[in-house]
Every structure is written in C-alpha cells, then in structure tokens.
C-alpha cells in the first residue's frame, strides 16, 4: 500500500515524514473529551472513542471532525438562539453556515476525506435540530456511509424528537449522540425555553419545559440501553441553571452518559437573542472551573470543546471550513481510503510511543514533592510541541505534579506573529490570556518576544521542540523541582 499522506496539500511519505510535517512551521492547533485511555474502559468502548476527537481527549490530537449544515429546522426556542444563526447548543453563537442539501453534503464529505486523512467523524449539529430535521439528517448519513464506511457518524440534538428515531440511529451504526440538557427543573427550563413544539402543538413555559425534560431523559435512557455513547451538553447560564449543574452531572452519570460537556453561555446583544438583548451574561472562566471542580466524581467532563461551527472542518480548534465551501468543490469527487488507512497506522504507532514515553517520564516525576505547576503548550497536532510561539492562536494548558500531567483547558489568543512581524498589542493579549500560567513550551520563539514574556513573568522554553507533550511537561516539572537529579531532561 502506498504510504503517501496529504496534510492540507502537503504530500509526505511514511511515518517519519509525517512526524516532520506535523513538526514544521504552520499554524492552528487544538484539543477535547474523556481523558481516559484503553486501560480505563472496555475494549468495545475504546474502539468507539479512540478515533473520535470529541469523545477522547487523546484522539483530539490526531483526528479531525467535520460538520455539514443540512438540518435547519428546529422544534424548540432557546433564549440563547434567534434562528438567524446555527444551533447554539453545539456551535459557536453568532455563526451562520452554508446550508447544504444531503447530496451537496455528501459531495463535500467525500472531497474533505480525500484531502484530510485525519478525518474520522462526520457530525450533524444543526443549523437547527438534527433529530427534528430527521429526513435530511438520515439522507446525508445514508449517502455518506455508503461511500465512506470508515467515517463515524455523530449527531447532536435537543432531545425532543430523538426518541422517535432511536431505532434508525442504531440501524445506521451511529455510535455517538450529543443531547443538550440544561436543567432537571422545569421551572428553570421555563426561563431558558419560552416554548417547545411537540406532536403538532406549541407548549410554553413550565408545561413545555416539562415535556422537553421528559423526552431528554427518555432519549438518554433509550440510547444508553442500545449501546450508543451519549455526551450531554449543558450551557452554563449564571443565575439561571448554574446551581443545578452538579446534580445534573450526577444524574446523567447514573443514567449512563459517557461524557458531560459544560459549555459557557456566550451572550452578546449583537446576536439578537433574548439573553443577549436582556444582558444575561455568560460565566467567567473561574465560575466555569468552579462548577467543573464541584462535579469531580460525577460524569467525566469534556474540557476540550471548541464550540465549533455547524460547518466546521479539521482538528478541533482549527477551522478549515473555508477551504471546502461549495464553490470550491469539484463536481465529481473521489475518495482515497488508503491515505486514511496509512494515517491511522501511523497514529497507532505514535500513540504507543507516546504512552511509553509518558509512563517512563511519570515514573521519574512521581518522586518529586512540589506544588502543581501550570504549563501552556503550543501544538498543531500529533501530541507534540511542534508550533512556533508566534503562530499559536491557542494554548493548551496542562497541570503537572507528582501524580501526572492533566489537561486543564485551552486558551485562545490571536497569533502574535503576522507575516513574519510580531505585533505588540497581540503579545499583550497573549500575556493576558496566559494569566496564572508561568511557563510556555513551544517549538521556537524569537529573542525579543521571549524577553517581553519573561518581563511579564512568563518563561517561554523551546528546548523540548518536537517532543511529546506529557513527557516534556513531566521532565520540566522534575527539572524545576529536582534540578540536581541527573535523570531529568535539561532545558
Ligand atoms: Fe461534532 Fe459534536 Fe459530534 Fe464532535 S463537535 S457533533 S460530538 S463531531 Fe466537539 Fe465541536 Fe465541542 Fe461539539 S468540539 S462543539 S463537542
Ligand atoms: Fe436554536 Fe439549537 Fe435551541 Fe433550536 S435547539 S432554538 S437551533 S439553540
């Protein structure tokens, strides 16, 4: 089999060259899902999540998803949505996608699959509700699964119409469904959903919220009973549903949800939503972290969600959607499954190496008694420190101590270096973005920005360029706290 892989137009051959391609110059990066690996779950569950960038935090370093905006109709009204934009339950608010017919969508998926070997998942997350606009969702999945049987199918829904389609979902081998459940309390629900449309009638207030909640719980039970992995999304709305999210997390875990994704409300008067116009604010990062911390011991939390667009393409955190708009697609598209197979072989070997290196570094670090250290990383995928500081639009933040390296969150900032020139305003924004994070690991940085970052109290280190993330972070922790230990890597 020809082991030739194309990464965004760059042709590379084999494993070493692919590593170099991921390591070189370049741009966007990302991260998201359960932090667990194959040792933590049943083999059949691991088989479902290992290539899904949202359901496995590890997979998001290697695999891409794409969304197609085929389902514009919706059956409820959320106060953070005004229907001019994509469904805000699993999309960045204020974004409008190019709407496609199922045939156009299938053409687009085949074209992307031929160009992006990292592609492993097709998701339908709007622009309305994928289960309510079922005919178009199903037609798209049917067309794609016939042509690309190795691509996993994934959908997102508010849950109201979903119980009517569980048999078809299972028959189509859809292994991953996201349900948005914002509250267990219909009184609270009435403050989020002014109305729902069910069985030909509109129901408002508490009556509507009661119907919606019952159908969401029914959806969760039915999907779990049929072996479908369910991720629950909750939009955190301070002063409205925040107090109930810990109990919600506990309940969805007890019902068998695989992941819980607590997303911040993004509210802006310019979006024209009820919450935007009435000044309802979203949570601060500290409020979101506090709720996540209080959910410890409940359902696994997803912390790498990027609140994608309903037409997102690429690794999480990178958006290649504009490369694949309808006007840029060829009329006749053909797939190249060998490229994806070669890429997956490479990923399997990389994962083994990375796990072995992480385990060895952890053994060395667990003797170090020191407070946890926060470390930001510049990466554009592959689980390595492979991005120039000036090209990072996003920093992945990890915490390390003697118990290991844990992904905490991502923080976004405009990239510092534009056209080879650093922008001081952007650097100031990067420094604000990295508040509370004293160290950044990157592939390269110029001396001038390094000095400015140091003056702001942030050390930027490029000595671990191209290394795997976790072993490098462990080594840094050990070096800082046991510098005389000759076993530690030096920076
Ligand atoms: Fe899309 Fe959602 Fe499937 Fe992922 S996204 S339908 S589960 S393939 Fe992922 Fe995007 Fe977050 Fe969604 S980062 S918004 S969680
Ligand atoms: Fe908007 Fe999605 Fe809510 Fe429907 S379910 S009103 S599309 S946010």
């Amino acid at each position: 089999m020809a082991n030739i892989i194309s990464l965004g137009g760059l042709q590379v051959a084999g494993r070493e060259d692919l590593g170099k391609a991921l390591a070189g110059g370049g741009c966007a990066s990302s991260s998201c899902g359960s932090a667990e690996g194959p040792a933590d779950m049943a083999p059949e569950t691991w088989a479902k999540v290992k290539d899904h960038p949202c359901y496995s935090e590890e997979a998001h370093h290697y695999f891409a998803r794409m969304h197609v905006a085929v389902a514009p109709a919706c059956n409820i009204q959320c106060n953070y949505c005004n229907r001019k934009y994509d469904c805000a339950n699993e999309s960045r608010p204020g974004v409008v996608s190019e709407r496609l017919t199922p045939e156009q969508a299938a053409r687009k998926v085949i074209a992307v699959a031929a160009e992006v070997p990292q592609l492993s998942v097709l998701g339908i997350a709007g622009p309305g509700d994928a289960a309510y606009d079922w005919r178009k969702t199903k037609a798209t999945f049917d067309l794609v699964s016939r042509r690309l049987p190795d691509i996993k199918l994934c959908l997102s829904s508010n849950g109201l119409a979903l119980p009517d389609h569980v048999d078809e979902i299972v028959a189509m081998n859809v292994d991953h469904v996201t349900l948005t459940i914002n509250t267990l309390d219909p009184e609270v629900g009435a403050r989020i959903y002014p109305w729902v449309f069910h069985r030909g009638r509109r129901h408002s207030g508490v009556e509507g919220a009661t119907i919606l909640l019952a159908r969401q719980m029914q959806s969760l039970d039915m999907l779990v009973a049929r072996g479908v992995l369910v991720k629950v999304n909750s939009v955190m709305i301070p002063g409205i549903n925040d107090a109930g999210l810990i109990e919600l997390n506990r309940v969805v875990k007890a019902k068998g949800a695989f992941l819980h994704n607590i997303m911040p409300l993004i509210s802006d008067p310019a979006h024209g939503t009820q919450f935007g116009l009435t000044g309802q604010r979203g949570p601060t990062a500290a409020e979101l972290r506090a709720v996540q911390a209080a959910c410890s011991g409940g359902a696994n939390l997803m912390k790498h969600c990027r609140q994608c667009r309903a037409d997102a393409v690429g690794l999480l955190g990178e958006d290649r959607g504009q490369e694949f708009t309808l006007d840029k697609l060829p009329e006749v598209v053909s797939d190249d499954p060998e490229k994806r197979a070669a890429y997956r072989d490479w990923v399997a070997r990389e994962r083994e190496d990375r796990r072995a290196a992480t385990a060895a570094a952890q053994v060395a670090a667990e003797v170090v008694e020191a407070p946890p250290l926060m470390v930001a990383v510049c990466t554009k995928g592959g689980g390595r420190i492979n991005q120039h500081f000036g090209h990072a639009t996003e920093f992945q933040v990890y915490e390390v101590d003697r118990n290991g390296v844990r992904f905490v969150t991502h923080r976004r900032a405009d990239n510092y270096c534009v056209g080879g020139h650093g922008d001081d305003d952007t650097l100031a924004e990067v420094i604000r973005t990295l508040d509370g994070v004293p160290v950044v690991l990157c592939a390269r940085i110029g001396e001038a920005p390094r000095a400015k970052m140091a003056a702001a109290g942030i050390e930027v280190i490029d000595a671990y360029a191209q290394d795997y993330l976790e072993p490098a972070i462990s080594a840094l922790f050990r070096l800082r706290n046991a510098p005389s230990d000759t076993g530690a890597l030096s920076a």
Side-chain angles (χ1 to χ4, degrees):
M1 172 169 47
N3 195 14
I4 302 291
I5 297 165
S6 168
L7 292 168
L10 174 63
Q11 298 287 323
V12 294
R15 180 183 182 201
E16 286 72 27
D17 287 350
L18 182 55
K20 282 184 206 153
L22 285 164
C27 27
S29 78
S30 50
S31 141
C32 272
S34 166
E36 297 179 337
D40 310 303
M41 60 185 87
E44 61 274 19
T45 307
W46 177 244
K48 286 179 184 172
V49 303
K50 72 182 176 54
D51 299 347
H52 196 307
C54 304
Y55 282 69
S56 160
E57 188 182 316
E58 187 193 66
H60 96 270
H61 291 287
Y62 302 107
F63 289 102
R65 52 70 185 104
M66 71 176 290
H67 290 167
V68 287
V70 293
C74 188
N75 49 356
I76 69 174
Q77 178 63 58
C78 303
N79 277 332
Y80 43 74
C81 177
N82 80 346
R83 315 292 190 140
K84 280 202 315 206
Y85 303 114
D86 294 349
C87 176
N89 282 339
E90 190 153 60
S91 315
R92 199 174 312 144
V95 169
V96 186
S97 300
E98 182 181 55
R99 295 182 187 186
L100 305 173
T101 64
E103 291 72 24
Q104 289 168 331
R107 187 153 63 93
K108 179 170 176 170
V109 180
I110 294 164
V112 170
E115 268 298 307
V116 182
Q118 295 99 327
L119 185 73
S120 61
V121 176
L122 166 65
I124 300 185
D129 189 78
Y132 180 59
D133 216 340
W134 179 247
R135 197 178 49 77
K136 293 184 194 137
T137 297
K138 182 173 184 309
T140 305
F141 280 165
D142 280 343
L143 288 168
V144 171
S145 60
R146 239 178 279 144
R147 294 285 302 271
L148 305 171
D150 63 311
I151 298 294
K152 290 185 187 307
L153 307 176
C154 187
L155 71 87
S156 173
S157 169
N158 61 47
L160 183 61
L162 198 128
D164 300 338
H165 305 297
V166 169
D167 286 345
E168 291 162 286
I169 286 170
V170 172
M172 282 191 298
N173 287 325
V174 176
D175 287 332
H176 305 84
V177 171
T178 296
L179 288 171
T180 298
I181 306 177
N182 289 321
T183 179
L184 298 172
D185 181 347
E187 301 275 349
V188 173
R191 298 173 66 193
I192 301 171
Y193 311 108
W195 56 260
V196 311
F197 186 77
H198 183 56
R199 304 278 188 248
R201 269 192 58 209
R202 186 184 280 222
H203 306 264
S204 52
V206 173
E207 179 191 322
T210 302
I211 294 169
L212 179 61
L213 177 61
R215 297 283 285 180
Q216 288 169 337
M217 292 297 135
Q218 187 184 358
S219 299
L220 179 54
D221 290 340
M222 291 175 78
L223 291 166
V224 169
R226 306 292 291 275
V228 178
L229 296 183
V230 180
K231 171 167 70 66
V232 172
N233 278 5
S234 301
V235 180
M236 180 175 170
I237 312 163
I240 294 189
N241 71 341
D242 47 348
L245 289 175
I246 300 159
E247 176 65 1
L248 175 58
N249 177 273
R250 193 190 63 73
V251 168
V252 299
K253 178 184 183 181
K255 283 180 162 286
F258 182 76
L259 267 183
H260 189 194
N261 178 19
I262 301 178
M263 321 160 81
L265 171 74
I266 300 174
S267 183
D268 185 329
H271 296 162
T273 63
Q274 176 67 13
F275 281 157
L277 295 171
T278 54
Q280 172 62 52
R281 70 173 179 90
T284 62
E287 287 170 335
L288 183 61
R289 271 201 308 276
V291 166
Q292 289 175 335
C295 290
S296 162
N300 276 336
L301 290 178
M302 174 179 190
K303 295 182 180 169
H304 58 287
C305 175
R306 300 301 199 279
Q307 289 178 274
C308 314
R309 299 170 55 118
D311 60 359
V313 175
L315 297 172
L316 304 187
E318 103 181 328
D319 194 351
R320 299 182 58 184
Q322 289 311 303
E323 294 172 41
F324 300 100
T325 50
L326 261 192
D327 56 314
K328 297 187 183 113
L329 296 184
E331 274 308 315
V332 179
V333 287
S334 56
D335 182 30
D336 187 351
E338 287 203 349
K339 254 197 270 185
R340 288 195 300 284
Y343 179 75
R344 287 170 196 180
D345 288 347
W346 174 81
V347 169
R349 293 191 296 266
E350 277 288 290
R351 276 175 145 164
E352 269 178 37
D353 282 359
R354 184 175 161 199
R355 283 196 199 114
T358 300
Q362 170 56 22
V363 167
E366 64 194 15
V367 296
V368 178
E369 273 294 357
L373 174 71
M374 300 282 273
V375 180
V377 174
C378 301
T379 175
K380 57 194 179 70
R384 291 179 184 266
I385 299 160
N386 55 8
Q387 190 173 40
H388 191 300
F389 175 81
H391 297 168
T393 52
E394 179 180 281
F395 298 89
Q396 295 199 18
V397 178
Y398 289 80
E399 184 180 55
V400 55
D401 60 19
R402 61 180 297 181
N403 298 314
V405 178
R406 297 170 293 280
F407 175 75
V408 176
T409 189
H410 64 277
R411 298 198 190 166
R412 292 193 69 86
D414 283 343
N415 56 329
Y416 164 69
C417 183
V418 178
H421 303 286
D423 173 339
D424 281 344
D425 287 347
T426 308
L427 190 60
E429 174 62 23
V430 168
I431 290 168
R432 275 193 297 278
T433 297
L434 291 172
D435 180 40
V437 181
V439 190
V440 178
L441 301 182
C442 65
R444 266 180 61 204
I445 181 169
E447 284 315 309
R450 192 200 301 270
K452 287 180 185 160
M453 294 294 287
I458 302 173
E459 187 182 2
V460 185
I461 298 170
D462 55 10
Y464 298 99
Q466 316 313 333
D467 285 359
Y468 291 124
L469 308 181
E470 296 85 356
I473 295 168
S474 279
L476 175 74
F477 175 70
R478 190 174 170 204
L479 177 69
R480 293 214 146 184
N481 295 296
S484 60
D485 184 340
T486 52
L489 293 177
S490 57

